[in-house]
């Protein structure tokens, strides 16, 4: 990733806040992963048969401080030689019927609990972008890179119907670039600048409620 945009903005969570957030991640993610492991294993097997490929999908994403890591998800799309965009809509022909159900229920995100345990992600935070987007962050917006990316977060809640919105757009990539992504950056900055443990709990409860 290029450093041409300058250093990460100085504000962010204090060391104490970071320790509290990390401790909570482990307290929730470790037992959560163990409890949900049978469901994850069943979904991986089903996705393997459904897509014809290994049911665990990994992809490079931008993590804390702009470092690359591999995020883990349950595979929900078939590989296609004609679609290479990173902007996914709900009408994307690569998404299988089972994959659509996994995405709606967010079961495809459950392997990311492992990413939380290993310290690459957090339960709550900015969603991790694919390489390239972080290079667009300028000045104070680079504060977003000071925190581990999250399984859920303020932008995830605000754009919970993002794929459907993109599928209805004349130019999904332009809508994402000019409207959705800048708003996500604003929401994520606001979240970090005003972080509290209570806010994280609220976001988790709202995410669980949205899934139901």
């Amino acid at each position: 990733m290029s450093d041409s945009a300058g250093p990460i903005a100085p504000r962010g969570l204090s060391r104490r806040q970071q320790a509290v957030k990390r401790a909570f991640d482990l307290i929730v993610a470790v037992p959560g992963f163990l409890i949900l492991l049978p469901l994850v294993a069943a979904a991986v097997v089903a996705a393997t048969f459904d897509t014809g490929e290994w049911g665990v999908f990994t992809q490079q994403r931008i993590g804390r401080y702009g470092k690359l890591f591999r995020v883990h998800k349950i595979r929900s799309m078939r590989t296609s030689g004609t679609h290479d965009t990173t902007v996914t809509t709900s009408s994307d022909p690569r998404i299988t019927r089972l994959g659509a159900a996994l995405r709606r229920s967010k079961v495809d995100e459950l392997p990311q609990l492992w990413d939380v345990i290993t310290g690459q992600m957090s339960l709550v935070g900015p969603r991790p972008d694919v390489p390239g987007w972080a290079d667009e962050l300028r000045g104070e917006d680079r504060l977003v890179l000071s925190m581990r990316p999250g399984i859920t977060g303020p932008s995830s809640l605000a754009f919970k119907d993002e794929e459907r919105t993109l599928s209805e757009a004349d130019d999904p990539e332009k809508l994402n670039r000019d409207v959705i992504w800048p708003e996500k950056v604003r929401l994520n900055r606001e979240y970090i600048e005003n972080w509290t443990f209570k806010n994280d709990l609220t976001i988790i409860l709202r995410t669980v409620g949205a899934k139901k």
Side-chain angles (χ1 to χ4, degrees), residues 69-142:
F69 76 101
R70 298 201 73 86
V71 69
H72 294 79
K73 301 178 72 172
I74 295 173
R75 189 178 296 276
S76 61
M77 297 190 293
R78 295 189 179 93
T79 301
S80 171
T82 59
H83 289 75
D84 58 0
T85 178
T86 59
V87 177
T88 306
T89 71
S90 60
S91 59
D92 194 311
R94 295 172 296 177
I95 301 175
T96 67
R97 183 174 297 181
L98 173 62
L102 293 173
R103 295 166 81 94
R104 282 195 303 270
S105 63
K106 301 301 182 183
V107 170
D108 67 317
E109 307 278 0
L110 292 181
Q112 288 168 42
L113 287 171
W114 177 251
D115 297 324
V116 173
I117 294 170
T118 59
Q120 301 294 341
M121 294 183 67
S122 177
L123 294 173
V124 183
R127 284 296 294 165
D129 281 317
V130 295
W133 286 103
D135 293 316
E136 301 299 318
L137 295 170
R138 294 290 183 270
E140 297 295 304
D141 286 345
R142 289 178 64 79

